[in-house]
Amino acid sequence: MAEELVLLDFWLSAFGMRVRIALAEKGIKYEYKEEDLRNKSALLLQMNPVHKKTPVLIHNGKPVCESLIQVQYIDEVWHHKSPLLPSDPYQRAIARFWADFVDKKIFELGTKTWQTKGEEQETAKKGFIESLKLLEGELGDKPYFGGENLGYVDVVLVPFYSWFYAYEKCGNFSIEAECPKLIAWAKRCMQMESVSKSLPDQEKVYGFVLHLKKMYGIE
Amino acid sequence: MVEVEIAKSMAEEVKLFKTWSTPFGLRVVWALKLKGIPYEAIDEDLSNKSALLLQYNPVYKKVPVLVHNGKPISESLVILEYIDETWKQNPLLPQDPLEKARERFWAKFNDEKLLQSIWGVFAKEGKEREEAMAASMENLKFVEEELKGKKFFGGEKIGLADITFGWLANLICVFEEVTGLKMIDERFPLLLAWIQEFSQHPIIKDAGPPHDKLVIKYQALYEKFHPAK
C-alpha cells in the first residue's frame, strides 16, 4: 500500500520548515501544497479545524498538527532512517526541553523584533539574544545539538535562521556579533541539503517582512 | 537481609520539586502514583526558592522539577513523557504514532489555549474578560467534541491528555466558586461526566490539595486582580 503524504504549508513558516527538513533528512517523498493564508483551503480547515493553521501533515488521509508533534511523529514512523531524537529517555527529555524553549522564546521574541519599536523592541532584542546565548550554552562544543548529526533541536531551531536577516535589519542589530557560535552552527546546518533546500532565501524573507510591515502599518 | 540492603542501595531516587498548589506539579504526582513510583516531594516557597531548585532549573527557575538519580528534568509535559519512557508500567501514551500525536496535540491545546483563556476569565476585567470567556467557551467545545464515544481522552484508561486536562476536575470549580461564573455547565455533558470519572479514580481521588485551601488561595489572588473600587 503506497504511503500518501501531503504537507499543507506556507513558504515563510519556520514551523513548516521544520517538517520539510525532517522529511528530507529521512528521504521521504511527499506532496507539498502551498496555502494562501488569507484564503485558506477547504482541506486545511477540514484537517485542522481547531487551529486552522499550517503546517498540517496528512498521512494516508489522517492529519497530524503542530510542528513539534509532526517532527516527532515523522521520527517515530520512519524510525529506521536518520533518527532525530536520541534513544536514551534522559537525553530525549533534554532535547524536548530545548525544543520547547525554542517555541516559547525564539519565535515570540524574534517576531517582536520586527513588529515593535522603541522600548518594546529593545526589550525583545535583549530577550532574543539572551535566549540564543542559552542555546549556545546547550550546544557547547558539539557540531550539532544532536551531537555528530542533525537532531531534534537542530531541526526545530534552524528554520529561524532564515528569519535572522529580517530581524537584524528591522531591529538594527547583529546576531552574529552577539552569538557567533550559533551563527557558525546555523551555517554548518545550511551545508546539509535537507536544510538548505527547506529554508527560503533570507533576502526573500526580509522582502516579505517589509511588505507585512506596510500591511500592518508598522513604523 | 542482605538482599533487602542491596535492593535499597540500588533503589531509584526520585524527587519532585513543586508547591502545594501547583496544578503542573500535581500532574507529575498523578503520573508517579499511576505507575506506583515512590518519590520524595519537596514543596517550595516560591517567594524564597531553594538553592537546589535554582541549580536544577536555571533556565526558568520554576516548579515542577523532577530529579531522577540526581538528573533534573523541567517542564511538566517533558517530565510526563520522561516518566512514561522510563517506567513502562501503566503507559500514559499509546504505542501507535498517530494516537500518540493525538494525545500530545490535546495536551498542548490545554496548556497553550484552554488554560490561557480560562485564566483570562479569572484575571482580567471588562472587555478582555468577555473575550476570554468567549474563547474559553470555544475551547471547551473542542474538548467536549474530543470526548465523544470515550470514557477518558486516552480511551478506556487515563492517559497523558487526561492528566493534562486534570486541573478541570479539581481547579475549575475553585475558579467558578471564587468568580461566581459557571464555565463548565450543562452545555458540556461529556466533560461533566469525564470530570466525575477522573475525580473518582482511586489514584486521583485523594492526591490533590484540599478544595478549601485552594479557595482561600485563589480568593486572595482574585481580590488582587480585581481590587474593590
Side-chain angles (χ1 to χ4, degrees):
Chain A
M1 191 188 79
E3 301 268 26
E4 198 201 59
L5 205 55
V6 179
L7 177 64
L8 305 181
D9 199 355
F10 177 58
W11 68 278
L12 254 192
S13 162
F15 305 102
M17 288 174 220
R18 292 168 171 176
V19 185
R20 290 175 229 162
I21 297 169
L23 290 169
E25 268 296 289
K26 290 171 185 276
I28 302 161
K29 289 197 167 31
Y30 65 100
E31 186 191 346
Y32 179 94
K33 281 194 167 151
E34 183 72 26
E35 284 282 331
D36 175 358
L37 296 183
R38 292 158 306 170
N39 187 20
K40 293 173 182 177
S41 71
L43 184 63
L44 172 60
L45 300 177
Q46 180 202 336
M47 290 289 156
N48 191 0
V50 174
H51 299 295
K52 305 175 178 59
K53 283 183 175 177
T54 60
V56 180
L57 186 70
I58 311 169
H59 187 200
N60 294 332
K62 306 243 175 75
V64 181
C65 303
E66 298 297 294
S67 63
L68 294 188
I69 297 174
Q70 289 156 342
V71 173
Q72 289 184 84
Y73 175 81
I74 290 165
D75 204 37
E76 285 158 17
V77 174
W78 291 278
H79 53 87
H80 44 277
K81 180 105 194 278
S82 304
L84 296 171
L85 274 160
S87 46
D88 171 67
Y90 188 69
Q91 294 306 318
R92 288 161 78 86
I94 295 185
R96 287 184 176 129
F97 174 87
W98 287 105
D100 176 71
F101 176 85
V102 173
D103 261 12
K104 282 183 161 79
K105 299 281 181 185
I106 303 302
F107 177 64
E108 199 178 299
L109 292 169
T111 302
K112 284 195 169 148
T113 65
W114 68 266
Q115 275 188 0
T116 65
K117 41 187 175 143
E119 216 186 297
E120 208 187 337
Q121 192 186 45
E122 288 308 307
T123 308
K125 279 158 63 178
K126 195 161 166 274
F128 182 73
I129 292 296
E130 272 167 17
S131 302
L132 287 182
K133 286 198 164 131
L134 279 172
L135 285 160
E136 275 188 327
E138 173 57 22
L139 180 64
D141 293 320
K142 306 194 292 286
Y144 304 101
F145 287 92
E148 292 305 309
N149 298 303
L150 272 188
Y152 185 56
V153 179
D154 301 279
V155 172
V156 164
L157 179 60
V158 82
F160 293 101
Y161 179 64
S162 65
W163 281 74
F164 279 7
Y165 181 66
Y167 296 159
E168 286 174 322
K169 293 290 276 189
C170 297
N172 193 31
F173 68 127
S174 163
I175 297 172
E176 185 155 18
E178 302 272 1
C179 306
K181 264 179 111 178
L182 199 76
I183 298 299
W185 159 83
K187 289 183 176 166
R188 198 177 300 129
C189 289
M190 287 295 281
Q191 284 171 4
M192 315 271 279
E193 206 176 79
S194 58
V195 177
S196 61
K197 291 229 158 120
S198 302
L199 265 53
D201 173 65
Q202 293 200 56
E203 290 266 8
K204 247 185 133 186
V205 174
Y206 178 50
F208 195 83
V209 167
L210 287 179
H211 164 75
L212 282 177
K213 280 175 75 135
K214 240 196 203 150
M215 249 179 39
Y216 293 146
I218 301 167
E219 187 198 63
Chain B
M1 189 59 125
V2 178
E3 276 174 19
V4 170
E5 281 174 26
I6 292 172
K8 266 198 182 156
S9 68
M10 277 173 62
E12 305 270 22
E13 193 199 55
V14 181
K15 293 188 181 181
L16 177 62
F17 289 79
K18 61 183 188 70
T19 62
W20 70 270
S21 61
T22 166
F24 302 99
L26 187 55
R27 291 175 180 178
V28 183
V29 168
W30 286 332
L32 292 168
K33 281 182 185 280
L34 278 164
K35 289 177 180 272
I37 303 159
Y39 67 99
E40 181 193 344
I42 296 138
D43 277 351
E44 287 277 327
D45 169 4
L46 295 183
S47 63
N48 186 20
K49 294 172 183 177
S50 72
L52 265 181
L53 176 64
L54 299 177
Q55 179 198 323
Y56 285 140
N57 190 0
V59 174
Y60 298 117
K61 305 173 177 52
K62 282 181 173 178
V63 292
V65 179
L66 187 80
V67 184
H68 182 205
N69 293 335
K71 296 195 283 204
I73 302 129
S74 308
E75 291 304 293
S76 64
L77 293 185
V78 177
I79 296 171
L80 291 178
E81 293 229 24
Y82 174 79
I83 289 172
D84 206 39
E85 287 174 0
T86 305
W87 292 277
K88 310 275 192 188
Q89 67 274 28
N90 297 337
L92 302 176
L93 279 171
Q95 292 283 15
D96 174 62
L98 197 64
E99 290 308 307
K100 225 185 245 197
R102 184 206 294 275
E103 291 261 342
R104 286 174 176 151
F105 176 89
W106 288 104
K108 198 163 197 246
F109 180 80
N110 177 77
D111 279 10
E112 291 179 5
K113 297 280 176 191
L114 185 64
L115 204 56
Q116 306 280 9
S117 57
I118 293 183
W119 185 250
V121 176
F122 185 85
K124 306 273 171 170
E125 305 203 285
K127 191 161 184 281
E128 274 189 298
R129 170 182 262 193
E130 276 172 35
E131 286 169 357
M133 191 52 135
S136 298
M137 291 301 114
E138 262 279 308
N139 293 334
L140 285 170
K141 273 196 210 138
F142 283 127
V143 180
E144 175 82 6
E145 181 76 28
E146 182 54 23
L147 272 173
K148 275 207 178 112
K150 295 200 282 210
K151 184 174 170 188
F152 295 111
F153 292 96
E156 279 306 302
K157 293 223 200 105
I158 287 179
L160 182 84
D162 296 280
I163 289 180
T164 310
F165 281 125
W167 70 284
L168 293 175
N170 79 322
L171 198 54
I172 214 172
C173 50
V174 174
F175 287 179
E176 288 174 341
E177 198 174 313
V178 167
T179 61
L181 291 167
K182 192 89 182 119
M183 277 172 274
I184 303 184
D185 55 27
E186 63 282 339
R187 281 173 294 174
F188 306 105
L190 298 176
L191 252 177
L192 287 170
W194 172 83
I195 286 172
Q196 275 292 100
E197 284 286 358
F198 187 82
S199 330
Q200 292 310 308
H201 189 286
I203 297 293
I204 305 297
K205 213 162 172 197
D206 298 309
H211 175 84
D212 299 331
K213 212 175 164 194
L214 284 172
V215 171
I216 294 169
K217 175 201 160 89
Y218 282 99
Q219 183 68 48
L221 203 57
Y222 191 70
E223 279 158 21
K224 261 180 140 169
F225 290 136
H226 308 274
K229 292 181 178 97

